[in-house]
Amino acid sequence: MLEVEIYITLKKTVSDPQGLTIKHALESLGYQNLEEVRVGKLITIKLNSKDKKKAKQKVDEMCQKLLSNPIIEDYSLKIKEVK
Amino acid sequence: MRFGVIVFPGSNCDQDCFYVLKDILSQPVEYIWHKDTRLNDFDCIILPGGFSYGDYLRTGAIARFSPIMKQVSCFAQRGGLVIGICNGFQILLEAGLLPGAMLRNKNLHFICKYVYVKTENNKTPFTNFCSRNQILKIPIAHNEGNYYIDKNGLKILEKNRQIIFRYCNQGGDVNKEFNPNGALANIAGIINKEGNVLGMMPHPERSSEEILGSESGFLIFKSIAKWLKNKR
């Protein structure tokens, strides 16, 4: 079985109000030298497949169709075998 | 003149829209279940506000794949009038029927209050009853109304006069101070290039009677009725 981790993040050009607020919160707790904080989503999908190449193709399609919005978001994938 | 109000799982402004169209505008209106696959003989379709599919993943992202949306797309391509209000606007953006996307409100709060918007273009089927630059008092109620589009997209919207409403103050000043959610260029509502699909975050159905504090929203419905009547 394959497990795919999909990381969805706001594009660098898009401002991230959540990230900004968390950065302020961390700074108020005394953490310094924070350059930037960005928030994203993690979606994991388990696939009954052993073919990583095909899995990537399929998940790319899912990301473009539904899981991410290309106007405001980027995504990246990690695929690994699991039992 | 027949209006249709689409009901998605999680819509919660459908009944308000239905009520305004039927009892105040006095026009025939029907509910359309999101699983229906036919849109027969409607003149205007409304995608109401709410939290379709619990706003899971992104607002409107799942509703835009509801079976009825294929028909809505065809209806729009044929020139039919479509108006998306709040969540309905978010669904139209996800469906690609309008350009851009919604981000979370800049202050991360769900904002529910009356705001003022300036009618930037009154030569549309949805605003022809408004005077030029008319200020409307209409409530907003959303968590994701921070409209975003890239620079080039904004230029195109401006060039084609597709920006229909901008947040402003009572006197009509459009600036950051009167921007409730961080929306780019104070955008509260846009139309497609063809001029028959409107998306707006403010709720005209909640401001169509004096008893509710404002009748500004009713101008939108009256505009649609006038436009449809003249078309015939």
Side-chain angles (χ1 to χ4, degrees):
Chain A
M1 195 159 53
L2 294 174
E3 186 178 275
V4 189
E5 291 186 343
I6 305 158
Y7 296 90
I8 298 166
T9 49
L10 285 171
K11 279 184 193 292
K12 289 237 161 75
T13 48
V14 174
S15 87
D16 175 7
Q18 268 195 98
L20 280 172
T21 306
I22 293 168
K23 181 171 179 277
H24 288 151
L26 286 169
E27 282 164 348
S28 74
L29 290 173
Y31 295 100
Q32 286 165 2
N33 301 321
L34 301 175
E35 178 63 31
E36 195 181 26
V37 178
R38 307 277 293 179
V39 178
K41 284 181 238 182
L42 167 65
I43 298 173
T44 56
I45 294 177
K46 282 183 180 161
L47 287 169
N48 287 317
S49 159
K50 282 181 181 170
D51 187 333
K52 282 191 180 179
K53 203 178 158 193
K54 270 190 190 161
K56 187 181 177 308
Q57 258 178 7
K58 200 173 234 176
V59 177
D60 269 329
E61 194 187 304
M62 291 178 195
C63 286
Q64 282 152 25
K65 206 170 175 181
L66 173 70
L67 300 179
S68 81
N69 180 340
I71 298 171
I72 46 171
E73 293 170 328
D74 290 324
Y75 69 88
S76 61
L77 307 177
K78 265 186 204 166
I79 303 178
K80 62 180 177 188
E81 268 180 53
V82 289
K83 279 182 185 172
Chain B
M1 182 181 315
R2 270 176 85 222
F3 287 82
V5 177
I6 299 183
V7 183
F8 296 96
S11 292
N12 65 8
C13 301
D14 43 342
Q15 293 188 25
D16 297 26
C17 288
F18 188 96
Y19 162 75
V20 169
L21 293 164
K22 183 170 174 285
D23 291 335
I24 308 182
L25 196 66
S26 304
Q27 295 297 330
V29 51
E30 277 176 43
Y31 288 119
I32 303 160
W33 182 234
H34 76 117
K35 281 198 169 161
D36 287 355
T37 49
R38 294 206 308 188
L39 273 184
N40 291 334
D41 305 324
F42 288 102
D43 297 296
C44 177
I45 297 297
I46 297 185
L47 279 69
F51 300 85
S52 58
Y53 294 90
D55 279 351
Y56 295 158
L57 193 62
R58 294 179 308 279
T59 54
I62 298 175
R64 80 94 145 179
F65 288 108
S66 276
I68 196 65
M69 286 307 293
K70 265 192 189 152
Q71 293 307 313
V72 172
S73 200
C74 292
F75 178 80
Q77 272 165 21
R78 290 198 304 269
L81 297 188
V82 178
I83 168 169
I85 301 165
C86 197
N87 189 226
F89 185 9
Q90 294 161 340
I91 295 167
L92 291 175
L93 290 171
E94 283 285 342
L97 287 169
L98 288 172
M102 284 299 173
L103 297 167
R104 248 182 112 173
N105 293 345
K106 204 174 171 185
N107 64 5
L108 304 179
H109 289 295
F110 185 97
I111 307 170
C112 183
K113 66 174 187 183
Y114 265 104
V115 295
Y116 294 97
V117 294
K118 187 174 181 180
T119 312
E120 297 270 322
N121 181 350
N122 68 344
K123 296 196 167 44
T124 79
F126 308 95
T127 51
N128 59 71
F129 224 93
C130 304
S131 52
R132 202 168 153 259
N133 292 333
Q134 185 166 353
I135 314 302
L136 309 180
K137 184 187 170 192
I138 310 186
I140 53 169
H142 60 246
N143 200 31
E144 279 91 2
N146 182 350
Y147 180 78
Y148 173 84
I149 193 165
D150 62 21
K151 275 184 190 164
N152 193 37
L154 181 64
K155 263 188 205 162
I156 293 170
L157 286 182
E158 282 178 338
K159 188 176 140 231
N160 296 332
R161 301 202 60 203
Q162 286 174 255
I163 300 169
I164 305 304
F165 300 115
R166 290 192 211 249
Y167 299 109
C168 64
N169 68 355
Q170 198 170 358
D173 296 328
V174 175
N175 63 47
K176 275 188 182 166
E177 200 187 331
F178 310 113
N179 184 337
N181 51 26
L184 190 77
N186 281 41
I187 289 172
I190 57 167
I191 203 164
N192 63 341
K193 204 175 159 196
E194 292 73 23
N196 63 313
V197 178
L198 172 80
M200 62 189 294
M201 288 315 288
H203 286 268
E205 80 283 7
R206 294 190 191 177
S207 49
S208 287
E209 281 178 290
E210 206 183 341
I211 195 170
L212 296 176
S214 171
E215 292 178 290
S216 288
F218 196 48
L219 292 169
I220 314 278
F221 298 110
K222 278 205 281 198
S223 295
I224 297 170
K226 185 178 157 194
W227 192 85
L228 288 173
K229 204 173 159 191
N230 289 344
K231 198 181 131 197
R232 287 192 169 190

